[in-house]
């Protein structure tokens, strides 16, 4: 199981490859706001753990294990963003909140949130009811 730091790298690499077709050390460093040397060290660790194949000066490719994990992490991130948006968290807080919680939730919790999001999707009135209850509680305080 990857560490939270490894997850951040895998998620970023997966997104870069999905968007651009490749992931360079400089792009990863910029996206994660770390030094390129830190990226190189982590890439070597991810290579050792068989999430990717890295050839110095040639680039990297995700292994099937890396692709599966990266997709799962990107999907988790999107799910949590959608969930927070759905329950009315202010847009300015969503990204920071997702970054803060995504590594601290079990996959069981993620699956339950996914079920809850689907429950809300199936009937828009449920979301409206939730917002009304929030408004009532806010007005009481």
């Amino acid at each position: 199981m990857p560490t939270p730091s490894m997850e951040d790298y895998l998620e970023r690499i997966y997104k870069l490859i999905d968007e651009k077709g490749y992931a360079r050390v400089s792009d990863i460093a910029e996206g994660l706001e770390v030094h390129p040397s830190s990226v190189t060290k982590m890439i070597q660790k991810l290579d050792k753990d068989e999430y990717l194949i890295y050839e110095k000066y040639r680039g990297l490719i995700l292994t099937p294990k890396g692709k599966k994990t990266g997709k799962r992490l990107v999907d988790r991130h999107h799910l949590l963003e959608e969930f927070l948006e759905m329950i009315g968290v202010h847009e300015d807080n969503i990204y920071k909140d997702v970054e803060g919680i995504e590594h601290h939730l079990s996959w069981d919790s993620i699956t339950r949130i996914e079920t809850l999001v689907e429950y809300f999707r199936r009937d828009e009135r449920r979301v409206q009811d939730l917002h009304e209850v929030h408004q009532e509680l806010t007005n009481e305080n």
Side-chain angles (χ1 to χ4, degrees), residues 39-97:
V39 174
T40 301
K41 285 178 189 171
M42 181 58 79
I43 285 174
Q44 291 167 344
K45 178 157 182 42
L46 292 170
D47 184 10
K48 180 177 161 276
D49 291 351
E50 301 179 348
Y51 288 101
L52 55 81
I53 298 168
Y54 174 64
E55 294 181 27
K56 198 170 184 176
Y57 307 116
R58 300 221 34 205
L60 61 91
I61 59 167
L62 289 170
T63 63
K65 175 183 174 181
K67 285 179 187 174
K68 180 180 178 184
T69 303
K71 180 174 180 0
R72 189 174 188 203
L73 296 170
V74 168
D75 290 347
R76 174 183 70 183
H77 191 99
H78 290 311
L79 172 70
L80 292 172
E81 283 181 341
E82 182 179 6
F83 174 66
L84 294 181
E85 181 180 325
M86 192 175 273
I87 64 172
V89 173
H90 194 276
E91 188 178 333
D92 293 344
N93 296 326
I94 290 176
Y95 182 81
K96 178 178 54 106
D97 288 351

Side-chain angles (χ1 to χ4, degrees), residues 124-138:
E124 238 179 75
R125 290 175 295 181
R126 294 172 179 158
V127 176
Q128 293 167 352
D129 289 346
L130 177 68
H131 291 290
E132 288 173 15
V133 169
H134 174 74
Q135 195 63 40
E136 289 170 13
L137 292 173
T138 303

Side-chain angles (χ1 to χ4, degrees), residues 1-14:
M1 197 66 191
T3 65
S5 180
M6 291 168 74
E7 287 183 347
D8 286 339
Y9 279 85
L10 283 168
E11 183 179 352
R12 185 72 193 138
I13 291 166
Y14 182 87

